[in-house]
């Protein structure tokens, strides 16, 4: 169940095919289609002067400006970009009102869970490690993502990189979470408060990993929610190598994304080592199984030579 929905109805102002220029920077845009809606407005795929962009348009200048500032902060994080690049911040003068907007990079790809279901379970540790690296960089900058869910985590089509979308819920550490989605909210599962801290994002990240193990979301039942979550984690074959890590994150056991990432990485190495030993044992078993056959072939060859020798001697 989603808690966020668009504030205000912008449908009377916005529609595919609408072309306009920003009030201040005079850059041209043409709306192509709606990509989604959040608490603070709509996101459209648009054609800009240099190609496709994602355009976030709202009715509250303060909210749009705050989100644009978050995207600027994202660009300051060292290493790979955490989210879309920010291109423009301006106002759209419609016939009835002034609508603030910002233009950002349009990223093509699939959401976290859909990508994994399409590519296969071997991608789970790859995506999880990338997501935890992004969260670690974000937390170190003093931010918590907040509304972390598959729809807000995209895996790029070209390079299979994890990027964070919809920064409307991004909140300074220590403040109250601004936006959340029930299924990924630890408050909904009675496992903590809605205070912005790394453990809040890590709970949602663990729920996303759980999502990957089931064809559909499981409904919360009355009673002990911790035992329900444990059952979800421990009965899923896909999660077997990582179940202690996932459950620990759901219970708030990790103080940082880096600590969870290190445990995930260690688990991946252990799994690979077990696979290597198993492959070695299988090769050895095949070799031992093949030895008697080799011996029989050699003995048969010797026997044939001996028979030929007797035949030659008899003539």
């Amino acid at each position: 169940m989603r808690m966020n929905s668009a504030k205000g109805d912008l449908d009377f102002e916005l529609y595919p095919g609408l072309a306009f220029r920003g009030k201040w920077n005079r850059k041209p845009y043409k709306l192509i289609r709606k990509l989604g809606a959040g608490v603070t407005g709509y996101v459209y795929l648009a054609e800009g002067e240099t190609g496709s962009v994602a355009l976030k348009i709202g009715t509250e200048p303060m909210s749009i400006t705050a989100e644009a500032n978050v995207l600027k902060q994202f660009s300051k994080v060292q290493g790979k970009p955490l989210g879309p690049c920010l291109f423009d911040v301006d106002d759209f003068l419609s016939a009835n009102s002034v609508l603030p907007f910002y233009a950002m990079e349009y990223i093509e790809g699939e959401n976290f869970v859909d990508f994994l279901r399409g590519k296969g379970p071997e991608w789970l540790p790859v995506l999880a490690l990338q997501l935890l690296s992004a969260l670690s960089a974000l937390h170190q900058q003093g931010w918590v993502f907040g509304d972390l869910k598959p729809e807000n985590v995209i895996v790029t089509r070209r390079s299979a990189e994890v990027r964070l979308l919809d920064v409307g819920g991004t909140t300074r550490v220590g403040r109250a979470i601004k936006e959340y989605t029930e299924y990924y909210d630890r408050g909904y599962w009675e496992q903590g408060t809605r205070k912005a801290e790394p453990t809040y994002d890590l709970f949602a990240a663990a729920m996303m990993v759980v999502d990957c193990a089931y064809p559909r979301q499981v409904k919360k039942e009355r009673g002990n929610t911790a035992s329900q979550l444990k059952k979800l984690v421990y009965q899923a074959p896909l999660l077997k190598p990582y179940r202690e890590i996932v459950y620990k994150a759901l219970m708030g056991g990790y103080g940082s994304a880096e600590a969870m990432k290190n445990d995930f990485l260690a688990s991946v190495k252990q799994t690979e080592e077990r696979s290597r030993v198993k492959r070695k044992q299988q090769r050895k078993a095949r070799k031992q199984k093949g030895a008697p056959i080799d011996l029989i072939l050699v003995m048969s060859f010797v026997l044939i030579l001996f028979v030929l020798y007797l035949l030659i001697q008899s003539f």
Side-chain angles (χ1 to χ4, degrees), residues 211-229:
D211 265 0
C212 296
Y214 293 90
R216 62 183 64 87
Q217 291 181 349
V218 179
K219 291 183 178 179
K220 186 182 78 170
E221 300 173 354
R222 289 185 178 181
N224 190 332
T225 53
S227 64
Q228 291 175 39
L229 291 169

Side-chain angles (χ1 to χ4, degrees), residues 250-296:
L250 291 174
M251 295 297 105
Y254 286 107
S256 70
E258 200 64 24
M260 185 176 173
K261 176 186 165 185
N262 289 338
D263 278 359
F264 228 103
L265 197 57
S267 178
V268 171
K269 290 180 178 176
Q270 288 175 1
T271 301
E272 177 58 28
E273 178 61 21
R274 284 196 290 268
S275 297
R276 190 186 67 79
V277 171
K278 187 176 181 181
R279 288 195 298 271
K280 187 177 179 180
Q281 290 173 340
Q282 288 173 338
R283 283 197 300 271
K284 187 177 180 181
R286 283 197 297 269
K287 193 174 180 180
Q288 289 174 340
K289 188 177 179 181
I293 296 176
D294 294 341
L295 182 61
I296 292 171

Side-chain angles (χ1 to χ4, degrees), residues 66-78 81-84 86 137-138 141-143 170 172:
E67 292 180 18
N69 286 335
V70 170
L71 287 179
K72 289 179 183 175
Q73 291 291 327
F74 273 25
S75 66
K76 293 179 181 178
V77 177
Q78 298 292 323
L82 300 182
L86 180 67
L138 187 66
Q141 295 295 315
W143 297 90
T170 305
R172 277 291 183 189

Side-chain angles (χ1 to χ4, degrees), residues 18-251:
L18 173 66
F20 65 89
R21 285 184 178 272
K23 177 183 178 182
W24 307 105
N25 299 328
R26 306 303 299 165
K27 293 183 178 179
Y29 297 100
K30 181 180 180 181
L31 303 187
I32 306 299
R33 61 182 169 87
K34 190 190 295 182
L35 295 174
V39 172
T40 55
Y42 291 163
V43 179
Y44 270 85
L45 171 64
E47 192 67 28
E49 58 185 358
T50 58
S52 297
V53 297
L55 210 67
K56 177 72 177 284
I57 306 179
T59 56
E60 299 179 14
M62 291 287 288
S63 298
I64 294 296
T65 301
E67 292 180 18
N69 286 335
V70 170
L71 287 179
K72 289 179 183 175
Q73 291 291 327
F74 273 25
S75 66
K76 293 179 181 178
V77 177
Q78 298 292 323
K80 296 180 179 178
L82 300 182
C85 299
L86 180 67
F87 296 147
D88 188 23
V89 182
D90 209 332
D91 293 327
F92 162 48
L93 288 177
S94 73
N96 302 303
S97 58
V98 178
L99 301 175
F101 73 87
Y102 61 85
M104 57 188 160
E105 178 185 10
Y106 173 59
I107 303 174
E108 292 186 275
E110 291 182 278
N111 80 50
F112 188 95
V113 174
D114 287 346
F115 181 92
L116 185 132
R117 287 173 179 164
K119 294 291 185 181
E122 64 272 17
W123 279 85
L124 179 58
V126 178
L127 299 187
L129 289 171
Q130 285 196 51
L131 176 60
L132 292 171
S133 292
L135 291 177
S136 178
L138 187 66
H139 296 162
Q140 288 174 22
Q141 295 295 315
W143 297 90
V144 166
F145 191 79
D147 196 14
L148 190 68
K149 56 184 176 181
E151 292 86 344
N152 287 344
V153 181
I154 194 168
V155 184
T156 60
R157 185 167 296 166
R158 290 185 177 180
S159 53
E161 290 181 354
V162 166
R163 305 277 286 275
L164 303 175
L165 300 180
D166 194 354
V167 298
T170 305
T171 308
R172 277 291 183 189
V173 170
R175 297 180 183 174
I177 291 293
K178 292 189 294 186
E179 295 178 27
Y180 61 90
T181 301
E182 275 190 346
Y183 192 79
Y184 305 93
D185 169 47
R186 70 179 180 184
Y188 172 73
W189 287 96
E190 303 166 16
Q191 298 305 318
T193 67
R194 294 190 178 109
K195 182 181 178 181
E197 50 194 10
T199 47
Y200 187 88
D201 277 346
L202 297 182
F203 178 92
M207 287 304 292
M208 286 174 53
V209 172
V210 171
D211 265 0
C212 296
Y214 293 90
R216 62 183 64 87
Q217 291 181 349
V218 179
K219 291 183 178 179
K220 186 182 78 170
E221 300 173 354
R222 289 185 178 181
N224 190 332
T225 53
S227 64
Q228 291 175 39
L229 291 169
K230 188 172 187 177
K231 184 179 177 182
L232 274 178
V233 172
Y234 277 74
Q235 72 179 8
L238 176 67
L239 303 182
K240 187 176 179 180
Y242 322 109
R243 56 193 182 191
E244 291 181 5
I245 301 166
V246 175
Y247 185 65
K248 184 176 178 179
L250 291 174
M251 295 297 105

